Structure formats: structure tokens, C-alpha cells
């Protein structure tokens, strides 16, 4: 039986995610921005929370953990401490670990840069990755704690996943990401098509997530810092991909 995934808004622009295993009834929440919408989603489905998979320590990803753990006695899985301590963790996880959520398998990718502790969870059998604040649709997270080369390496890890994997990210930032990406690649046909699709989705008040990694590889300028055309657009032809990535990220910060 295929895993079921539910997506719903939390806080102002975060996503809440549940992944459910029909075979064992196990259900994991990816992060916990706030408890109430997660509880509501669980009750709508008649599911019981068994696990919380935390991607990083920021409050808008862990704010609901304590309340959910109290209510469901669920297992809380968090990255190894590399920056601020995450409270309430039962299990610390690192690169290469494979976690069992019922019969579902979640592989851990360390994707530092936004924070030093940031991990992404890859469900290979479901062709799904939860990348939180490392990789957004047509964007990437701000580099708060790491370095640009570190973040570029993390994006390369995610880019190495197959094209038919679905990307679920931490925030609904796609429309503003597209506005910026078009300043770098105004003639990218896949980006222009995505811009049109996102305009329609947002008009209908629908989420722009999930998106396919294959589409992101063609349209997300932050995954394309090693494309000669992107280097040319920012006039950095002889520079490394990590330097070009850093320039793109700085321009986005100022945009
Ligand atoms: Zn964050």
C-alpha cells in the first residue's frame, strides 16, 4: 500500500506535512511549526501521530513539538546538535541513517548551510524528499549559520536525487522566488512555464508544493549556479559554482 502524504498551512507561510503508512498506521509529522493544525489534520484522517522528524532547530519548525509529544507520546527524531539544542528529542540522527516509520523508510541527508544542523528526509520508495529550508521551489533557504560552499554542497546532494522525486519544502515562497529567478534567467522556458503555473495556483489559493525535482533542476536558479548561462548572466564566467551560488544568494537577500 502506498504511503499517504497530507500538506496543510501552518503559521503564516510554513507547510505542515504528515506521511502515513496504511500497512502499520504509523504516521510521521515532518517538523511541527505549531500543534493545532497538525492535530486537526490527524483528526480529519483518523490517524495517530507516532513520529516527528525534525529538520532543524528554528522555532517555526519545532514550536509544536512539546505539545504533540505530550498528547501522542510520539517519538521525536532530531538532527545531532551542531548549533542550538533541540528539546524533547528521543533519537538523534545523522547522514546515512535509515529511519523506520512503520514500514516506511526515511533516509537522512545532512544538508547544512541554512543552519548547521539541517537535515533532509528522503523516502526513496515514495520518491519523495522533505528538504525544509534547504531547497525551496525555485529558491533556497537563507544561509544563516553555514557558508556558501557548504550550502552549495547541500544543494548538490539534493540535486543528485532522481528527476521523478517530489520535493516538499518548508515554506510557501515560490511566487517571490520566481520573481527573483526571472531577473537572472528571464528567457528560461521552464521557469517561465512554472511562473504561469504558480500564478494560476496562487490565484486559486492552492499550494505550489509538491514540485518535481526534475523541474527544479531546469528552473531553480540556485540549483543552476554551475550553468555557464547563469555565470554569464551574473558576469562571473571564470568563478567557481560555489562563488556564483553565493552571489545569487546575496542578490536574493537584497531583492
Ligand atoms: Zn529555518
Amino acid at each position: 500500500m502506498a504511503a499517504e502524504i497530507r500538506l496543510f498551512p501552518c503559521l503564516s507561510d510554513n507547510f505542515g506535512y504528515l506521511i502515513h503508512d496504511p500497512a502499520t498506521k504509523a504516521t510521521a509529522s515532518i517538523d511541527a511549526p505549531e500543534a493545532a493544525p497538525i492535530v486537526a489534520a490527524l483528526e480529519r484522517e483518523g490517524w495517530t501521530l507516532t513520529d516527528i522528524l525534525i529538520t532543524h532547530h528554528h522555532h517555526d519548525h519545532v514550536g509544536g513539538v512539546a505539545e504533540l509529544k505530550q498528547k501522542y507520546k510520539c517519538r521525536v527524531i532530531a538532527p545531532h546538535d551542531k548549533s542550538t539544542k533541540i528539546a524533547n528529542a528521543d533519537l538523534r540522527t545523522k547522514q546515512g541513517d535509515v529511519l523506520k516509520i512503520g514500514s516506511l523508510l526515511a533516509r537522512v541527508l545532512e544538508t547544512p548551510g541554512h543552519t548547521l544542523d539541517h537535515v533532509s528526509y528522503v523516502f526513496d520508495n515514495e520518491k519523495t524528499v522533505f528538504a525544509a529550508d534547504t531547497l525551496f521551489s525555485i529558491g533556497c533557504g537563507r544561509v544563516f549559520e553555514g557558508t556558501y560552499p557548504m550550502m552549495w554542497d547541500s544543494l548538490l546532494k539534493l540535486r543528485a536525487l532522481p528527476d521523478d522525486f517530489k520535493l516538499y519544502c518548508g515554506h510557501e515562497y515560490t511566487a517571490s522566488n520566481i520573481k527573483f529567478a526571472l531577473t537572472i534567467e528571464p528567457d528560461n522556458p521552464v521557469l517561465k512555464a512554472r511562473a504561469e503555473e504558480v500564478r494560476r495556483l496562487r490565484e486559486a489559493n492552492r499550494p505550489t508544493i509538491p514540485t518535481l525535482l526534475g523541474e527544479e533542476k531546469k528552473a531553480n536558479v540556485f540549483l543552476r549556479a554551475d550553468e555557464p548561462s547563469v555565470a554569464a548572466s551574473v558576469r562571473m564566467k571564470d568563478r567557481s559554482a560555489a562563488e556564483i551560488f553565493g552571489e545569487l544568494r546575496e542578490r536574493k537577500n537584497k531583492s
Side-chain angles (χ1 to χ4, degrees), residues 56 58 60-61 114 133:
H56 67 297
H58 282 161
D60 62 327
H61 293 258
H114 175 71
D133 292 0

Side-chain angles (χ1 to χ4, degrees), residues 84-188:
T84 309
K85 190 167 167 56
I86 296 169
N88 296 301
D90 299 299
L91 182 66
R92 298 283 171 177
T93 195
K94 61 179 188 312
Q95 174 73 31
D97 285 352
V98 178
L99 307 164
K100 282 189 182 167
I101 310 299
S103 63
L104 307 178
L105 300 178
R107 182 163 58 90
V108 176
L109 280 187
E110 289 184 357
T111 50
H114 175 71
T115 62
L116 293 177
D117 64 352
H118 198 296
V119 298
S120 300
Y121 294 101
V122 183
F123 289 77
D124 289 289
N125 295 334
E126 286 68 35
K127 297 178 187 279
T128 288
V129 55
F130 294 94
D133 292 0
T134 300
L135 178 62
F136 297 128
S137 180
I138 320 296
C140 73
R142 279 182 187 254
V143 180
F144 287 121
E145 296 177 9
T147 63
Y148 291 134
M150 181 191 284
M151 185 69 157
W152 173 242
D153 280 349
S154 294
L155 293 175
L156 289 180
K157 279 189 192 172
L158 293 165
R159 196 178 74 174
L161 295 170
D163 287 358
D164 60 349
F165 272 40
K166 290 192 202 77
L167 169 69
Y168 290 86
C169 59
H171 292 268
E172 180 58 89
Y173 288 161
T174 314
S176 80
N177 288 338
I178 286 172
K179 200 171 152 201
F180 171 74
L182 283 168
T183 67
I184 309 291
E185 294 196 284
D187 301 321
N188 179 330

Side-chain angles (χ1 to χ4, degrees), residues 2 9 20 45 50 61-62 80-81 115 141 159 177-178 180 207 221 227 246 252:
H20 175 75
E45 303 295 341
T50 55
H61 293 258
V62 300
H80 272 286
D81 286 341
T115 62
R159 196 178 74 174
N177 288 338
I178 286 172
F180 171 74
V221 72
E227 282 286 326
K252 175 69 168 70

